[in-house]
Amino acid sequence: MFIDEVRIYVKAGNGGNGCLAFRREKFVPRGGPSGGDGGRGGDVIMVASEHHNTLLHFRFNPEHKGQRGRHGEGSNRTGHEGESKEIATPVGTMVYDADTGELLHDFTTAGDRFIVAHGGKRGRGNARFATSTHQAPTEHEEGKPGDERRLRLELKLLADVGLVGFPNAGKSTLISRISAARPKIADYPFTTLEPNLGVVSADDDRSFVVADIPGLIEGAHLGHGLGTQFLRHIERTRLLAHLVDVSEASGRDPVEDFEIVMTELKSFSESLVEKPMIVVAAKIDAAQDPDRIASLERLARDRHLPFYKISSVTGEGLDALKRAMAEAVLKSPEVKTGQTE
Ligand SMILES: Nc1nc2c(ncn2[C@@H]2O[C@H](COP(=O)(O)OP(=O)(O)OP(=O)(O)O)[C@@H](O)[C@H]2O)c(=O)[nH]1
Ligand SMILES: [Mg+2]
């Protein structure tokens, strides 16, 4: 299951205080109590929106507050209610109380609303306390504080781009360079045991989600290595980025690596190999022999697949690859079928 996560702080508005006042009018010797009530504090309300696919906007904006209610005034004037604060969140967001871990709400449909912090109650003014035997009350209440909460938001994401390739090809290193994801990286195969997700922001406002999954080896469909079960996590992606280690250190041939991974993808599902694919020559900083890169490039050309060269160590080619991914994601239709979680 793909998860993106943020923590936010919400504070509803405090209720306004009730007022203590007595009417003072010319020719009216004993005016009664006239302190108005305070206004209610504004709520903080989360609203599920179709226009958001990530929790990224919360990272830059982690605090949300409702407006406080105004205090009551003399002449029985009630204070204004505080304005509620609405915050948009993607459909699929689950809201937890960050302190207790309790699940507060699961947003499943667009337009769904949920109050995450209730505004404070208003305080009553002294006019409210008058009775026939108690005509000059001085009691009046303070407004109550609004709810204050720390929330943890979780989003079950579907990735747009899947990274595939041999173990050790540099998939996790790549996602760590282009997103905030910090997966384990190590110089041995099968470092990644579970999919990692990263949200990548392209130049403008656009962002997309990349899934880094375990590596594939020959015979994976027979259970070799980590098998192919985890490939279901990328069945709904719009695009695959196929990383091939072109450095000498791999001890294998890039073109052969490519074909082996394609065979494994195909034996898992025909639809995987039919997805748009970008071929990525990885670790070019460590490739002494230019032929290793050239042969892979030729293969990509023969198959009419876009080809990019990168080094996650020097950063070469990363911006171009990011842009190419963003454009391909934009162009490819959303994949509706075959979802498994
Ligand atoms: N020289 C060089 N080394 C790299 C580059 N990218 C990754 N590496 C190294 O390659 C090794 C494997 O990197 P990972 O990112 O863990 O590879 P992976 O594809 O995620 O591997 P698995 O999770 O095992 O499938 C690490 O030692 C990285 O430091 C690169 O661009 N250049
Ligand atoms: Mg990895």
Side-chain angles (χ1 to χ4, degrees):
M1 193 152 46
F2 296 136
I3 288 169
D4 191 16
E5 188 179 282
V6 291
R7 279 161 195 273
I8 63 171
Y9 165 81
V10 290
K11 167 85 178 76
N14 295 338
N17 297 338
C19 173
L20 169 63
F22 290 93
R23 204 155 36 230
R24 289 167 60 107
E25 279 173 51
K26 231 174 175 180
F27 312 122
V28 183
R30 286 190 195 178
S34 68
D37 300 336
R40 219 182 141 269
D43 300 325
V44 181
I45 306 171
M46 291 183 69
V47 186
S49 148
E50 278 170 326
H51 305 294
H52 292 77
N53 340 316
T54 72
L55 298 176
L56 206 59
H57 58 295
F58 287 112
R59 294 201 196 255
F60 305 114
N61 200 6
E63 279 192 22
H64 301 272
K65 295 180 177 167
Q67 203 181 36
R68 74 171 178 86
R70 315 299 297 192
H71 300 316
E73 291 176 27
S75 309
N76 287 314
R77 281 201 298 264
T78 304
H80 282 294
E81 286 200 357
E83 238 175 79
S84 291
K85 169 87 175 193
E86 293 201 356
I87 44 186
T89 197
V91 177
T93 305
M94 298 169 88
V95 184
Y96 293 89
D97 185 307
D99 298 313
T100 66
E102 182 194 357
L103 173 64
L104 303 175
H105 194 74
D106 185 0
F107 286 98
T108 52
T109 47
D112 196 359
R113 300 162 68 82
F114 180 71
I115 300 177
V116 285
H118 288 270
K121 273 200 186 146
R122 62 186 186 173
R124 288 178 296 173
N126 69 329
R128 294 275 186 165
F129 293 88
T131 64
S132 55
T133 56
H134 184 48
Q135 296 189 351
T138 53
E139 297 96 323
H140 59 111
E141 298 168 331
E142 300 213 326
K144 296 276 185 291
D147 289 347
E148 188 175 358
R149 247 173 176 169
R150 270 188 300 276
L151 302 174
R152 186 168 61 82
L153 310 183
E154 256 187 32
L155 178 60
K156 278 182 265 174
L157 281 181
L158 292 165
D160 299 302
V161 182
L163 300 184
V164 295
F166 259 73
N168 224 35
K171 301 180 292 299
S172 301
T173 311
L174 173 62
I175 202 174
S176 76
R177 288 298 305 262
I178 60 177
S179 80
R182 293 290 172 265
K184 188 172 169 194
I185 293 168
D187 192 15
Y188 53 81
F190 306 120
T191 309
T192 302
L193 301 174
E194 285 189 345
N196 301 298
L197 270 212
V199 179
V200 179
S201 358
D203 325 319
D204 35 45
D205 255 358
R206 285 178 298 168
S207 57
F208 57 93
V209 179
V210 176
D212 163 36
I213 58 172
L216 289 164
I217 56 169
E218 188 159 21
H221 68 286
L222 303 172
H224 297 184
L226 292 176
T228 52
Q229 266 315 298
F230 54 80
L231 288 177
R232 71 198 157 88
H233 292 297
I234 56 163
E235 270 191 302
R236 286 195 55 180
T237 60
R238 302 177 196 225
L239 169 77
L240 297 182
H242 186 157
L243 263 72
V244 185
D245 184 348
V246 293
S247 74
E248 275 77 18
S250 86
R252 298 181 308 263
D253 177 52
V255 170
E256 237 168 68
D257 275 11
F258 180 91
E259 304 286 7
I260 289 173
V261 168
M262 290 306 270
T263 307
E264 296 302 327
L265 291 177
K266 190 167 177 171
S267 61
F268 181 80
S269 147
E270 196 73 38
S271 73
L272 276 186
V273 281
E274 282 163 9
K275 274 187 200 295
M277 179 179 277
I278 295 180
V279 181
V280 182
K283 307 193 190 179
I284 51 169
D285 59 287
Q288 313 299 330
D289 176 5
D291 277 354
R292 293 172 64 83
I293 304 175
S295 60
L296 186 67
E297 186 165 15
R298 251 190 325 275
L299 171 129
R301 199 181 325 120
D302 290 348
R303 291 181 172 239
H304 307 290
L305 298 176
F307 176 79
Y308 288 84
K309 296 181 279 195
I310 62 158
S311 164
S312 297
V313 168
T314 66
E316 191 181 344
L318 293 183
D319 279 341
L321 176 61
K322 225 160 73 168
R323 269 199 301 278
M325 285 177 172
E327 267 158 38
V329 165
L330 211 64
K331 269 193 255 157
S332 320
E334 201 172 338
V335 184
K336 295 268 186 212
T337 52
Q339 182 193 7
T340 45
E341 275 188 23

